[in-house]
Amino acid sequence: MRLCPSGHKTSYKTCMLNFTVGPVMSDDVVLKVGGRSAPYFRTPEFSEIMKENESLILKYMYAPKNSRCVFLTTSGTGAMESCVMNILNDKDKVLVVNGGSFGQRFVEMCELHHRSMTEIKCEFGHQIKAEQLEQFSGQGYTAFLVNMDETSSGTLYDMMLISAFCKKEGIMLIVDAISAFIADELNMEELHASAVITGSQKALALHPGIAVIALAPDALKRIEENPEVCMYLSLKLALKNGERGQTPFTPAVNTLLELHARLKNIETDGGIEAERKRVAVIAEDFRKKISDLPFTPATESPSNCVTSLRPVHGGAKEIIRIMKDEYNIWICPNGGALADEVFRVGHIGNITLEDNQTLINAFEDMQKRNLL
Ligand SMILES: *Cc1c(COP(=O)(O)O)cnc(C)c1O
């Protein structure tokens, strides 16, 4: 059984097993770093840490030569919007894969920022098909936005298919890998992606507050040439300050220090592939263990990050509530129309095989009580 890391008492229960998709449980090294007072950051020492954060992220994303990486103090959505504002412009013709709430978010951002945009609709939990892409061939599209893992349904899109289409059409590819980074295979150079986004509270398993964007040379050129349209989320400013390992405004200093500790640990624990393997093992173990429980998969293409499930007798909301109130375990609800039909179990963060078993035991106990 896990113990609370400190004797600190709060009225909000934070000492629970957390199987959501973010924020997730951090390891002790990260918690120790994050628990300190925020140090002053306009120093050469902090700049050095930031430069190292940049180079390790680029390495782990397999970014092409001369790429850069920026750290924005915002949740992942801020980085998505920053890409729509700073990399795209009003001459672009944009394709957006919309198969869930995160795809929908890109759609709404494009509308809000007056980008000419066409949706490629995917049904909940369905993989994207070649025919869906081909109908947009040769029509002058210039940019493609996709949530690599549409976390709302736990669907991992066929990135090789999308990448091949974008390469063939000469379309710039922007990848929201907020939940996919570390969980699933991601090679920015191979995908020919111009920008890849991630966030601190998903598989990086840090506190929330930092979003990361890796930018290939073509995206950097775009940012330089586009007119400035915002200040706080400006990538021009972020890049300029990043040259000296700094940020234009006060960042979430502790989360950036946590990031540094985490990236260095990944390095010493066998690198990014070993870390990805750890997530895959947890996901696989969970999926094996639920085979006798009354759930059916809610996606045909599961990511390693999360398993989305339909309880065969419905009542997802109540299952989530009972897990929280009676078993001290958080599993993840679904928003929107499927809120009572689907729940999700995350595999990212500091989860062990033993934790998986604790969750399975709770499900089995609920089954005995006729609650599933
Ligand atoms: C979590 C997530 C986001 C961003 O969520 P924030 O709450 O803004 O951090 C965006 N896209 C995907 C695919 C995600 O999983």
Side-chain angles (χ1 to χ4, degrees):
M1 193 61 203
R2 277 168 187 279
L3 298 173
C4 275
S6 75
H8 191 78
K9 285 213 171 60
T10 96
S11 59
Y12 189 62
K13 267 208 249 178
T14 54
C15 195
M16 309 247 300
L17 255 191
N18 185 350
F19 285 92
T20 67
V21 286
V24 299
M25 297 185 291
S26 305
D27 64 34
D28 290 343
V29 174
V30 164
L31 291 176
K32 205 166 157 207
V33 173
R36 297 189 190 126
S37 293
Y40 185 61
F41 66 100
R42 299 287 188 207
T43 62
E45 291 79 10
F46 187 74
S47 294
E48 203 171 308
I49 282 171
M50 290 297 283
K51 296 298 271 183
E52 215 167 359
N53 280 346
E54 178 174 14
S55 67
L56 284 171
I57 289 278
L58 292 174
K59 177 178 172 183
Y60 294 159
M61 286 190 174
Y62 301 93
K65 220 170 112 220
N66 297 322
S67 294
R68 292 279 312 277
C69 169
V70 296
F71 303 91
L72 305 176
T73 293
T74 158
S75 81
T77 305
M80 293 165 69
E81 188 164 21
S82 178
C83 287
V84 170
M85 287 192 290
N86 291 273
I87 301 175
L88 305 182
N89 62 48
D90 55 15
K91 292 183 198 72
D92 277 310
K93 263 184 87 175
V94 188
L95 286 168
V96 178
V97 179
N98 185 0
S101 57
F102 293 109
Q104 179 63 26
R105 197 168 292 183
F106 263 145
V107 165
E108 286 171 22
M109 282 173 185
C110 285
E111 286 168 354
L112 185 62
H113 296 287
H114 308 290
R115 305 295 180 230
S116 160
M117 177 268 310
T118 308
E119 284 177 69
I120 306 175
K121 289 250 192 198
C122 285
E123 254 180 87
F124 185 92
H126 282 249
Q127 181 58 278
I128 190 156
K129 305 276 183 320
E131 309 84 81
Q132 284 172 287
L133 297 177
E134 274 317 310
Q135 58 178 312
F136 299 108
S137 172
Q139 293 178 31
Y141 284 97
T142 58
F144 194 110
L145 304 180
V146 63
N147 319 93
M148 175 169 162
D149 169 9
E150 174 49 84
T151 322
S152 65
S153 66
T155 303
L156 178 67
Y157 288 124
D158 184 344
M159 292 305 295
M160 296 318 278
L161 178 77
I162 290 171
S163 164
F165 174 77
C166 290
K167 278 180 197 161
K168 171 171 79 77
E169 301 286 321
I171 297 177
M172 156 180 266
L173 174 61
I174 295 176
V175 181
D176 163 4
I178 293 174
S179 67
F181 176 56
I182 300 185
D184 289 291
E185 251 172 69
L186 169 68
N187 184 316
M188 188 172 170
E189 183 160 33
E190 204 173 277
L191 289 178
H192 216 271
S194 303
V196 175
I197 306 165
T198 194
S200 56
Q201 83 277 23
K202 301 283 170 83
L204 277 168
L206 318 172
H207 285 108
I210 292 293
V212 180
I213 314 175
L215 299 155
D218 63 327
L220 294 170
K221 184 158 176 283
R222 281 262 190 149
I223 292 162
E224 193 183 303
E225 289 170 2
N226 281 339
E228 195 67 287
V229 292
C230 59
M231 183 186 273
Y232 187 70
L233 293 177
S234 161
L235 293 182
K236 268 198 187 76
L237 284 179
L239 286 163
K240 187 163 183 301
N241 284 266
E243 284 170 16
R244 56 184 178 107
Q246 286 287 326
T247 53
F249 318 107
T250 306
V253 181
N254 290 51
T255 310
L256 288 167
L257 293 174
E258 291 172 9
L259 176 65
H260 188 248
R262 173 81 162 117
L263 295 174
K264 297 290 268 190
N265 264 3
I266 289 175
E267 197 72 354
T268 49
D269 289 352
I272 193 69
E273 296 310 324
E275 192 60 25
R276 189 185 333 283
K277 183 97 194 298
R278 268 189 279 281
V279 180
V281 165
I282 294 290
E284 203 181 317
D285 173 70
F286 174 77
R287 287 167 194 168
K288 208 167 66 209
K289 283 179 174 153
I290 53 161
S291 56
D292 291 336
L293 288 164
F295 307 139
T296 55
T299 175
E300 60 181 10
S301 171
S303 70
N304 287 331
C305 168
V306 57
T307 301
S308 58
L309 294 167
R310 284 177 206 271
V312 296
H313 305 299
K317 280 186 188 167
E318 187 61 2
I319 292 172
I320 292 161
R321 188 197 64 77
I322 293 170
M323 267 296 172
K324 171 172 71 73
D325 292 341
E326 299 183 27
Y327 297 90
N328 287 330
I329 298 173
W330 276 313
I331 53 176
C332 210
N334 246 59
L338 295 174
D340 209 28
E341 282 171 51
V342 174
F343 67 82
R344 296 170 296 159
V345 173
H347 310 301
I348 53 176
N350 191 22
I351 292 173
T352 62
L353 295 174
E354 196 187 356
D355 294 332
N356 271 355
Q357 192 57 53
T358 304
L359 175 61
I360 298 298
N361 292 348
F363 277 132
E364 285 175 355
D365 194 58
M366 284 175 75
Q367 196 179 24
K368 264 188 229 138
R369 296 168 63 199
N370 287 321
L371 296 171
L372 289 185

